Amino acid sequence: MFDGFLTKIFGSRNQRLVKAYRRRCAQINALEPSMKKLSDDELKAKTGEFRARLDRGETLDSLLPEAFAVVREASVRVMGMRHFDVQLIGGMVLHDGKIAEMRTGEGKTLTATLAVYLNALTGRGVHVVTVNDYLASRDARWMGRLYKWLGLSVGVILSGEQDPAVKREAYACDITYGTNNEFGFDYLRDNMEYEPGNRRQRPLNYAIVDEVDSILIDEARTPLIISGPAEDNVELYREMDAIPALLTRQKGEKEPGDYWVDEKAHQVYLSDQGHETVERIFTERGLIKNGRSLYSPQNIMLMHHLLAALKAHTLFNRDQHYVVQNGEVIIVDEFTGRLMPGRRWSDGIHQAIEAKEGVKIQQETQTMASITFQNYFRMYDKLAGMTGTADTEAYEFQDIYGLETVVIPTNRPMIRRDEQDRVFKTEREKYAAILKDVEDCYRRGQPVLVGTTSIDNSEIISKLMDKAGIPHNVLNAKQHEKEALVVAEAGRPGMVTIATNMAGRGTDIVLGGSISNRIEAITHDDSLTEEQKAAQIEKEKAQWQKLHDEVVKNGGLRIIGSERHESRRIDNQLRGRSGRQGDPGSSAFYLSMEDNLLRIFGGDRMKSMAERLKLEEGVPIESRMLSRMIENAQRKVEARNYDIRKQLLEFDDVQNDQRHEIYKVRNEILDSKDLTESLAEMRHGFYSDLVRRYVPPETVEDQWDLEGLTTALRGEWAVDFDAKRWMEEDESRIDDDLVQKVIEEADKVYNAKVELVGADAWNAFARSVLLQVLDQTWRQHISSLDLLRQGIFLRGYAQKQPKQEYKREAFEMFKDLLDITREGVIRVLMQVQIQMPEEAEAASDATTAEAQRQAAAAQAAQPEPSSVTEPESEPASLSGGEPRELDPSIFEHVGRNDPCPCGSGKKFKDCHGRLS
């Protein structure tokens, strides 16, 4: 109450911020007359002047009014578009590292040019992040005219087969456009490179994220994964695909049957009866031996595959969660309705769906590098975002990213009419009511946009309209290529458009239809004179104005929602397509008690209300109380999804800290010209620890195992030194002397190799060994962390805090990772036998080439994280070919399962042990 009283007097935080920004707008507007007087060359020269002033110590904030005035004037001259005052406010919000919420049609793309230009003056790079390649290339081309006119360079990165050299050039530009996925994948790829010059990105400076809610909220549950092939067990998926048909689904958790599907938690659980049934079926089919349990260690993977098959059949629906195109299962983004080629579900789900659909099953994969969007975007020195719907998620933006949301006022008052939800008893009644509404609009010449939550729903409504003889366009993942064209024409009189989730489409629906494409075609028609072009453009404008006035007269764009989405934001995005720039419009949502949201999350209260009301067929409920209940159901889902994202982040923060350390070390190795000191430190630490395994500190000589130490040094670590005899030669020697002596002997062996081949050749070889061993142990570590995360919640039964347990164990595992890496590097460098400098170079080239080949193969796939234990891929041969003939004495003390001293990376029994 007291807060409300203060707000009335002083205004809300948002109102105060907007008021302060308006004062700065006045400063920019005051500069407009002087900017208009400048010639084109003088206006272009301002960029060089601003950069010189920055070099002299001025700040970006002090340059802001003048820089914004320059961009506004340049935009008028280059593109014929002048920034509104609200767009200037939006530009200041973006420059301050905040989120600008601007309604659809308010010109976010043009708004961004202000902050992009100002921050690009530093020369440290600005990234403009969009949701798809089409928007990235369109905006780079469209806004690039303005930036290039002002003397800035513009690049664009696209997913797919874009040459790394082209990407490096794009990242070196002042401004780089691209998709969130590609920026993240390039970061991971850069940390898998084996040559410093192959890295693409510069240090991450400033990013503006378009459709920030879609990228930082909706996609935050999906980590970016680069993976490589793992074991090939695809036939097992085909066998498992037949099992769900033999099991009985329970109607409720306590009902009889073999398994229960929890749609809310998106999980499948076997009942006690189900375990017995599955065990019997597996035994009959020879998948498990007689007398063996379903949960015997050797059968654990069978349960993993069975649950994947059950989920594929019960929780993943064709044309809703995925489509099948050209013999491939392609994921449909649940928030934007777009296809996501190259992305795959984890935990064998994708393979199970491929088996269900009868297409080729692709091999399982192993994670090689991963990062979440949350942790990637938090690495930027400054981050900003813009969208039409951020306010409902303002708390999450502030809590996770430290981003404040500022709601920018519209340029013109919004007059769209939002009607009450209409709730029907059955889906059939709902679709009939939608059809009736569409028919009425079509007859009057009012354009309609029907929003659906899945491809399946859009096709049901499309068939109903075909039957009723209503011409219409369908925009879903299957018609992805026609997207911009369909949306551009959706505002023409009587046009009916059916579209799945309209998030981030990037093209405004203009009443009367889009005119820009037709004007552009006339402008670029070389067969016309300038006078003819001007006449045709005027004719097109007059024709468009007539259509525009007709649509306005008929009530503007009508939005019909066929179902409420889990998130209020997506509903608001659909509504926001109507009523842009002060246009008239209306919106209404048609729901049924059979809709997923009401059925799964609505609760018993809503079901009992429907039964009490005894609705007549075709009569909807329209009440504020019901709308509030639906909104509460959405809030429950949003809160649950937020908890999932926050938990993902809390766990990933642990891996993120470790990732930073590994990548920091990796980049130091790549950039270092001489690794002598680092390798010496690593070597001395390792041999010191090795001695202490056999000669523990502060122990008596009777507890020392000098013979064991000698055997280990000779057989495993390439140091021919008799520790026992050396200690007996002088009784005054103590354990510390022994440590120093072993280090000296190891240094002799190591330095002899370096002298033999030359410091430069050895340094290159050592670098490639370091990188490859580090990458291999890091991959194993990622897989181990995934497995740890899956089982850690069971610690709660022991009254332990799972998050704290995860942090503690992950830290212990990281220490082991460092020890294993050090041991692996020392093993190769001390055991490898290279006779000539040329062989050292060949070994280095072979190691690097094999590592780069593995990295290149991995980049072709972009799956979700795999939580299945994957076998470690065999390390590349460090000697660059077949096992070479060596002095037989080298192998005298080598065990059959020890690594071969030749440095091939294979076990002795599979290498020189086999040859002998």
Side-chain angles (χ1 to χ4, degrees):
M1 186 178 170
F2 188 63
D3 287 345
F5 174 70
L6 291 176
T7 301
K8 280 182 183 176
I9 297 174
F10 299 108
S12 66
R13 160 84 178 162
N14 196 83
Q15 289 166 337
R16 294 196 301 275
L17 281 170
V18 171
K19 195 174 179 182
Y21 286 130
R22 283 199 188 278
R23 286 197 289 271
R24 297 200 81 182
C25 270
Q27 296 175 18
I28 299 163
N29 290 334
L31 293 168
E32 193 168 14
S34 61
M35 292 299 166
K36 284 188 178 300
K37 291 176 186 174
L38 297 176
S39 67
D40 284 358
D41 289 339
E42 287 172 327
L43 196 61
K44 289 176 184 177
K46 282 287 183 182
T47 300
E49 180 195 316
F50 291 147
R51 283 183 156 163
R53 284 162 63 181
L54 281 173
D55 291 340
R56 291 199 295 270
E58 281 197 51
T59 63
L60 290 176
D61 286 343
S62 65
L63 291 177
L64 187 146
E66 213 173 328
F68 276 29
V70 165
V71 175
R72 176 149 75 175
E73 182 56 31
S75 176
V76 172
R77 297 187 192 186
V78 175
M79 300 188 295
M81 294 190 285
R82 180 184 177 276
H83 295 76
F84 303 130
D85 281 6
V86 290
Q87 288 175 313
L88 296 180
I89 293 172
M92 287 183 264
V93 169
L94 293 175
H95 168 67
D96 286 346
K98 293 180 168 66
I99 291 172
E101 184 187 283
M102 300 177 74
R103 293 288 177 93
T104 301
E106 291 292 303
K108 291 188 286 289
T109 308
L110 188 63
T111 298
T113 57
L114 299 158
V116 167
Y117 172 78
L118 178 61
N119 285 272
L121 293 171
T122 61
R124 293 170 56 207
V126 174
H127 291 173
V128 184
V129 186
T130 65
V131 289
N132 61 43
D133 286 337
Y134 163 71
L135 291 178
S137 50
R138 184 202 72 175
D139 292 355
R141 186 177 65 251
W142 189 14
M143 297 297 132
R145 290 157 50 206
L146 171 62
Y147 300 131
K148 287 171 184 173
W149 194 84
L150 286 166
L152 299 177
S153 55
V154 181
V156 60
I157 58 159
L158 302 170
S159 54
E161 299 301 315
Q162 193 174 21
D163 191 80
V166 174
K167 280 192 171 177
R168 276 191 289 279
E169 194 178 322
Y171 280 116
C173 292
D174 296 313
I175 301 154
T176 309
Y177 282 83
T179 63
N180 49 318
N181 285 339
E182 210 55 24
F183 281 120
F185 280 129
D186 281 342
Y187 168 76
L188 293 177
R189 288 171 187 137
D190 281 357
N191 286 288
M192 293 172 68
E193 291 295 350
Y194 281 76
E195 293 295 334
N198 289 348
R199 287 175 295 195
R200 301 155 185 79
Q201 293 183 343
R202 295 190 280 169
L204 304 176
N205 171 43
Y206 175 54
I208 293 178
V209 183
D210 193 9
E211 303 298 346
V212 67
D213 54 332
S214 178
I215 291 171
L216 297 189
I217 301 285
D218 297 339
E219 295 200 37
R221 284 187 290 173
T222 310
L224 287 173
I225 306 291
I226 288 187
S227 65
E231 65 177 298
D232 193 358
N233 55 356
V234 295
E235 278 312 308
L236 193 51
Y237 285 104
R238 294 204 191 283
E239 290 184 44
M240 286 298 168
D241 187 57
I243 307 294
L246 305 174
L247 303 177
T248 307
R249 178 171 173 171
Q250 295 171 265
K251 290 180 181 176
E253 191 176 357
K254 306 295 183 185
E255 301 289 320
D258 296 316
Y259 66 95
W260 176 58
V261 180
D262 184 349
E263 292 179 276
K264 192 182 285 190
H266 213 67
Q267 289 293 338
V268 177
Y269 303 99
L270 281 179
S271 64
D272 291 343
Q273 177 188 323
H275 284 98
E276 291 173 14
T277 308
V278 168
E279 202 165 283
R280 177 177 53 77
I281 293 168
F282 280 5
T283 306
E284 287 170 1
R285 292 179 170 236
L287 292 169
I288 61 177
K289 293 178 182 175
N290 273 320
R292 285 277 171 86
S293 162
L294 194 60
Y295 285 97
S296 296
Q298 59 268 50
N299 298 331
I300 291 294
M301 289 308 293
L302 292 178
M303 279 302 297
H304 164 76
H305 285 81
L306 173 66
L307 289 173
L310 283 169
K311 284 181 183 178
H313 279 267
T314 57
L315 293 170
F316 292 85
N317 302 320
R318 184 167 176 165
D319 289 343
Q320 180 182 354
H321 300 103
Y322 64 90
V323 296
V324 178
Q325 282 186 359
N326 303 321
E328 277 187 77
V329 171
I330 302 174
I331 298 174
V332 175
D333 188 322
E334 63 174 306
F335 297 102
T336 64
R338 288 194 172 86
L339 294 182
M340 302 166 76
R343 297 286 283 274
R344 294 176 65 78
W345 281 299
S346 61
D347 289 339
I349 296 290
H350 213 99
Q351 285 83 358
I353 292 170
E354 286 168 335
K356 167 187 160 186
E357 295 296 342
V359 300
K360 184 185 175 187
I361 301 175
Q362 295 186 29
Q363 205 173 339
E364 281 199 40
T365 53
Q366 174 188 16
T367 300
M368 299 177 80
S370 75
I371 193 168
T372 59
F373 282 127
Q374 292 144 315
N375 278 319
Y376 174 72
F377 282 108
R378 291 196 303 181
M379 286 193 290
Y380 280 90
D381 293 340
K382 185 161 76 171
L383 181 65
M386 51 189 184
T387 182
T389 45
D391 202 34
T392 55
E393 315 291 348
Y395 176 77
E396 183 168 350
F397 282 123
Q398 184 69 57
D399 187 36
I400 289 180
Y401 301 98
L403 291 171
E404 184 175 7
T405 301
V406 181
V407 180
I408 312 294
T410 54
N411 185 47
R412 294 178 184 171
M414 211 274 290
I415 59 171
R416 185 186 68 236
R417 184 168 46 86
D418 296 328
E419 298 169 10
Q420 284 285 343
D421 293 349
R422 295 165 193 180
V423 184
F424 293 83
K425 195 172 182 181
T426 64
E427 275 194 342
R428 184 175 54 78
E429 294 168 56
K430 176 183 77 172
Y431 287 133
I434 289 172
L435 189 63
K436 189 178 175 184
D437 195 341
V438 172
E439 278 180 317
D440 177 56
C441 293
Y442 175 67
R443 199 172 54 251
R444 291 185 292 102
Q446 182 179 13
V448 185
L449 175 66
V450 182
T452 68
T453 57
S454 70
I455 299 169
D456 207 21
N457 282 356
S458 69
E459 290 182 345
I460 289 170
I461 295 172
S462 176
K463 282 172 187 169
L464 288 171
M465 288 192 191
D466 283 337
K467 206 171 175 182
I470 301 171
H472 61 279
N473 285 323
V474 180
L475 178 59
N476 58 35
K478 292 183 177 178
Q479 286 82 29
H480 187 60
E481 296 78 10
K482 304 190 299 183
E483 178 179 306
L485 186 64
V486 171
V487 175
E489 296 305 310
R492 293 175 72 82
M495 186 65 74
V496 178
T497 309
I498 304 169
T500 51
N501 306 334
M502 289 296 295
R505 292 289 177 192
T507 307
D508 288 341
I509 297 176
V510 180
L511 299 189
S514 174
I515 192 175
S516 57
N517 289 341
R518 294 197 287 277
I519 289 176
E520 197 172 335
I522 295 167
T523 306
H524 292 96
D525 189 347
D526 296 332
S527 66
L528 300 174
T529 63
E530 290 302 318
E531 291 78 13
Q532 288 172 322
K533 285 179 184 177
Q536 283 207 23
I537 288 171
E538 282 306 312
K539 187 180 173 184
E540 285 287 349
K541 284 182 178 177
Q543 196 175 345
W544 172 83
Q545 190 63 49
K546 189 179 173 185
L547 293 172
H548 175 79
D549 294 343
E550 185 186 336
V551 173
V552 169
K553 184 183 164 190
N554 289 328
L557 179 65
R558 171 74 166 166
I559 300 291
I560 295 176
S562 67
E563 195 175 336
R564 281 281 193 174
H565 198 275
E566 286 185 359
S567 168
R568 288 170 295 160
R569 253 181 323 104
I570 311 296
D571 293 340
N572 292 339
Q573 283 169 350
L574 178 61
R575 275 202 170 114
R577 293 285 154 186
S578 178
R580 61 179 290 282
Q581 288 292 334
D583 286 338
S586 61
S587 71
F589 277 83
Y590 289 80
L591 317 175
S592 85
M593 289 294 179
E594 294 174 353
D595 289 352
N596 284 341
L597 180 75
L598 274 63
R599 186 172 55 81
I600 300 170
F601 296 98
D604 296 331
R605 191 176 166 199
M606 198 172 284
K607 289 172 192 166
S608 62
M609 177 193 269
E611 285 165 13
R612 276 201 317 272
L613 288 170
K614 292 181 181 170
L615 298 174
E616 291 179 35
E617 187 163 333
V619 178
I621 317 172
E622 289 184 56
S623 79
R624 289 187 183 280
M625 185 173 79
L626 190 61
S627 292
R628 278 198 300 271
M629 286 172 72
I630 292 165
E631 201 165 300
N632 285 337
Q634 288 177 305
R635 281 199 173 97
K636 279 184 200 171
V637 185
E638 286 168 7
R640 183 172 156 276
N641 288 341
Y642 170 58
D643 288 340
I644 291 169
R645 288 189 293 267
K646 187 154 189 188
Q647 187 179 83
L648 174 73
L649 181 65
E650 286 170 347
F651 279 94
D652 193 64
D653 277 343
V654 176
Q655 187 175 325
N656 193 50
D657 293 339
Q658 298 180 1
R659 184 190 300 112
H660 276 307
E661 284 303 309
I662 290 293
Y663 286 175
K664 182 181 166 190
V665 169
R666 204 180 184 286
N667 284 318
E668 284 172 2
I669 293 168
L670 266 181
D671 295 329
S672 175
K673 290 188 169 53
D674 187 0
L675 294 167
T676 306
E677 281 186 32
S678 302
L679 289 168
E681 190 179 324
M682 191 182 286
R683 191 169 61 253
H684 295 169
F686 172 76
Y687 278 100
S688 175
D689 290 347
L690 179 67
V691 173
R692 289 306 179 187
R693 280 185 222 163
Y694 296 91
V695 184
E698 299 178 9
T699 55
V700 295
E701 286 186 33
D702 289 347
Q703 294 174 288
W704 296 357
D705 182 8
L706 297 178
E707 287 181 2
L709 175 61
T710 303
T711 303
L713 287 170
R714 283 176 173 165
E716 208 173 340
W717 301 108
V719 178
D720 188 9
F721 172 67
D722 191 331
K724 187 173 183 181
R725 191 171 67 189
W726 186 79
M727 290 295 284
E728 287 171 352
E729 283 173 4
D730 187 345
E731 291 183 3
S732 64
R733 289 170 180 160
I734 59 173
D735 54 347
D736 287 343
D737 297 328
L738 179 61
V739 171
Q740 287 305 117
K741 179 62 178 175
V742 169
I743 289 172
E744 283 171 23
E745 292 297 319
D747 282 348
K748 280 181 194 173
V749 174
Y750 181 85
N751 292 333
K753 293 176 192 284
V754 178
E755 285 172 25
L756 192 64
V757 300
D760 290 342
W762 182 264
N763 197 58
F765 172 65
R767 176 182 284 109
S768 59
V769 169
L770 258 170
L771 291 173
Q772 194 170 8
V773 173
L774 184 65
D775 286 352
Q776 201 167 54
T777 50
W778 175 241
R779 282 174 214 153
Q780 284 178 286
H781 183 69
I782 291 172
S783 186
S784 300
L785 285 179
D786 280 342
L787 290 168
L788 175 65
R789 186 186 301 188
Q790 283 181 47
I792 203 70
F793 292 99
L794 296 173
R795 304 284 176 93
Y797 292 111
Q799 305 300 313
K800 291 181 179 177
Q801 172 55 260
K803 274 180 232 167
Q804 296 306 318
E805 288 291 296
Y806 180 76
K807 285 179 184 176
R808 184 181 61 76
E809 290 217 16
F811 178 69
E812 292 300 322
M813 287 163 66
F814 189 67
K815 286 199 294 186
D816 291 343
L817 158 76
L818 299 177
D819 289 341
I820 292 166
T821 304
R822 183 181 68 173
E823 186 172 315
V825 171
I826 299 302
R827 185 186 299 278
V828 172
L829 295 182
M830 293 299 289
Q831 291 182 349
V832 71
Q833 300 292 317
I834 300 174
Q835 305 300 322
M836 298 295 291
E838 293 80 9
E839 290 185 50
E841 286 177 23
S844 171
D845 291 346
T847 306
T848 304
E850 173 60 18
Q852 286 177 333
R853 185 196 64 73
Q854 289 179 6
Q859 289 164 16
Q862 301 173 352
E864 303 298 336
S866 174
S867 57
V868 184
T869 309
E870 308 289 7
E872 173 189 346
S873 56
E874 202 167 286
S877 169
L878 296 172
S879 58
E882 291 295 312
R884 293 177 289 100
E885 290 300 321
L886 300 174
D887 184 344
S889 64
I890 293 170
F891 305 118
E892 283 178 12
H893 302 285
V894 182
R896 280 179 52 72
N897 289 309
D898 291 341
C900 189
C902 77
S904 67
K906 297 179 182 178
K907 289 181 180 179
F908 177 59
K909 66 182 181 184
D910 295 327
C911 192
H912 279 81
R914 176 171 56 82
L915 295 178
S916 60

